[in-house]
Amino acid sequence: MLATAGRLWSGGTLALDIETSPWRAAQGFALGEAFIGGTVGVGVSADVDRV
């Protein structure tokens, strides 16, 4: 793992990889929330109203 980090650092891509990772994670979270979270959220709120 340290060897890979050293290779990425010396190649100049480590900073770009560090910047890109949170962006990709945020995109995945947003897509998951849009497709799954909205559906699950509606189901949960409907169940809560019945209780």
Side-chain angles (χ1 to χ4, degrees):
M1 184 165 92
L2 291 175
T4 302
R7 189 172 59 250
L8 291 172
W9 181 264
S10 65
T13 61
L14 185 60
L16 180 61
D17 292 342
I18 290 172
E19 289 177 18
T20 303
S21 291
W23 175 245
R24 287 183 181 169
Q27 288 176 326
F29 180 78
L31 285 173
E33 183 63 26
F35 291 111
I36 297 171
T39 303
V40 172
V42 169
V44 169
S45 65
D47 289 338
V48 171
D49 291 339
R50 285 187 232 149
V51 173

